[in-house]
Amino acid sequence: DVDFHLVMAVMQRESGYRTDAISGSNDYGLMQINKINHKRLSEILGITDFLNPEDNIHAGVYMLSDLFGKYQDTNLVLMAYNMGEGGANKLWNRGIFTSNYAQEIMRIQKGLMEL
């Protein structure tokens, strides 16, 4: 139930569509799934290889869907996806409800929808 263009925008921004991308902060694959989430996602989804494109996308879409279930607002979802719910919550407590990251993803999404 996550918008296709939003998922593609996240992949473009996160990895440039590189399946083998691993960041210095331990984010893996197309959707840049942080290593801190690997154990939980492996247990829930049965994923064993976060560089496998299908598994990585499955994990990223699962995370986005879960966040939409909690927050409904795309800005909040993208903030939590990018910085974790704890990091995003610190900004929300200060009255900040969007980020450059969220705005960039939504710009990319809009561009993809216009293709």
Side-chain angles (χ1 to χ4, degrees):
D1 294 336
V2 178
D3 179 75
F4 171 79
H5 295 99
L6 180 67
V7 173
M8 295 303 290
V10 169
M11 283 191 278
Q12 181 177 326
R13 169 61 175 78
E14 288 289 346
S15 67
Y17 302 114
R18 288 185 31 239
T19 60
D20 63 344
I22 300 176
S23 74
S25 57
N26 285 318
D27 302 310
Y28 284 66
L30 290 163
M31 306 275 302
Q32 289 292 277
I33 308 300
N34 191 276
K35 194 166 189 169
I36 198 166
N37 295 304
H38 288 192
K39 183 176 187 234
R40 177 177 68 90
L41 293 169
S42 290
E43 291 170 357
I44 294 169
L45 304 174
I47 294 172
T48 58
D49 181 3
F50 283 88
L51 290 177
N52 174 289
E54 186 176 332
D55 287 344
N56 189 275
I57 293 168
H58 187 196
V61 170
Y62 175 85
M63 290 176 66
L64 288 168
S65 178
D66 185 54
L67 292 168
F68 270 111
K70 294 176 184 177
Y71 304 115
Q72 292 82 46
D73 181 275
T74 303
N75 281 292
L76 303 181
V77 167
L78 291 171
M79 289 175 76
Y81 186 86
N82 177 244
M83 61 185 73
E85 292 179 84
N89 195 44
K90 290 177 185 177
L91 294 178
W92 301 334
N93 288 336
R94 295 178 27 215
I96 300 169
F97 300 104
T98 192
S99 65
N100 290 336
Y101 174 86
Q103 293 299 306
E104 183 179 355
I105 297 291
M106 289 188 286
R107 274 192 304 275
I108 295 168
Q109 177 189 23
K110 182 179 178 190
L112 292 170
M113 291 172 73
E114 293 171 355
L115 290 177

